Amino acid sequence: MKRTVGVQASILTLLMASSLAVSLVIAADTSQERAVKYILATVQAFRTVYSKAIVEHVQKGGVRPSENWHKDDHAIMLNAQFVKAAGAELKDFELGLIGLTPIYKFNLPKTQAEADALKKMMASPDFKVLTFADGNQFKGLAADHAIVQACVDCHNSHPSSPRKDFKQGDLMGAIVVRINNK
Ligand code: HEC
């Protein structure tokens, strides 16, 4: 009898310990997911302000966004370059832009899980943001659609672009955030 109680008690302790461990893991995942979603929302907000307020405003004064902006005093960076330049300033996590048919190969998804997530977004407009664990990182993707014709025109006519048939509204790629698991 005593032995049965002892065994039951240790099973109970084991169960409690493992459920605590599981809830800690879930809590950790949830906070990573929230962090990634907040970062994506912030990047999208800054990018919108850059495109709508800054780019539109300077165009009235004859300044245009251009890929080779650094060689031209009357040009500013493209919004994709703005996001990537901000990403280059970050030390604790990665921020970038990816596409399945990117202008430059260095903007391809870095892993199969990223490619799969992008394909999932491609297949359904319901997936605007996707978050997932991938190796020793936790990642988030925010869908990047051709909201204006200029996105389509530039990508379709860019000499390095492998895809020439984008239409307005198409998914062109995604903003990606990669944070390291502790
Ligand atoms: C004037 C040309 C131009 C315009 C306009 C433009 N892009 Fe791009 N885009 C580029 C170039 C060049 C790159 C590669 C930049 C780099 O990584 O150095 C790029 C990169 C990207 C990427 C990363 C994957 C890839 O295809 O290389 C995405 C996604 C993207 N752009 C989406 C958009 C969207 C959405 C718009 C409209 C809101 C847009 N672009 C407008 C030229 C343009």
Side-chain angles (χ1 to χ4, degrees):
M1 182 66 189
K2 251 190 185 161
R3 203 172 151 202
T4 324
V5 173
V7 170
Q8 280 174 345
S10 36
I11 291 175
L12 195 68
T13 317
L14 204 69
L15 277 177
M16 276 163 58
S18 53
S19 70
L20 184 69
V22 168
S23 58
L24 282 178
V25 169
I26 291 172
D29 269 349
T30 312
S31 68
Q32 280 184 319
E33 186 177 346
R34 283 176 62 189
V36 160
K37 283 184 175 168
Y38 284 142
I39 297 166
L40 287 170
T42 307
V43 174
Q44 283 180 309
F46 274 82
R47 191 175 158 181
T48 302
V49 171
Y50 184 77
S51 301
K52 288 201 174 156
I54 301 176
V55 172
E56 275 188 20
H57 181 73
V58 296
Q59 282 189 355
K60 294 175 198 151
V63 173
R64 313 206 143 261
S66 155
E67 184 176 356
N68 298 315
W69 60 276
H70 46 280
K71 293 185 199 148
D72 181 348
D73 289 345
H74 294 99
I76 54 171
M77 56 178 77
L78 303 174
N79 72 36
Q81 292 173 312
F82 180 60
V83 171
K84 292 187 65 181
E89 295 289 324
L90 296 165
K91 302 276 173 287
D92 295 335
F93 63 91
E94 294 172 42
L95 164 67
L97 268 174
I98 53 171
L100 291 172
T101 51
I103 290 181
Y104 301 120
K105 288 208 170 71
F106 51 70
N107 289 330
L108 277 167
K110 277 198 179 169
T111 62
Q112 190 58 45
E114 288 183 17
D116 290 346
L118 254 183
K119 283 179 196 156
K120 202 166 154 184
M121 283 181 157
M122 208 76 124
S124 165
D126 294 341
F127 298 120
K128 292 187 171 55
V129 172
L130 285 175
T131 56
F132 51 96
D134 188 6
N136 62 352
Q137 290 187 312
F138 192 84
K139 299 180 176 178
L141 259 56
D144 199 21
H145 290 96
I147 41 170
V148 292
Q149 186 63 29
C151 315
V152 167
D153 291 343
C154 185
H155 278 249
N156 285 349
S157 64
H158 197 286
S160 304
S161 177
R163 185 171 162 186
K164 310 281 181 196
D165 64 348
F166 277 117
K167 284 187 251 351
Q168 194 170 341
D170 280 353
L171 184 79
M172 303 192 83
I175 299 170
V176 58
V177 166
R178 307 178 182 100
I179 63 177
N180 295 328
N181 290 331
K182 285 266 155 61

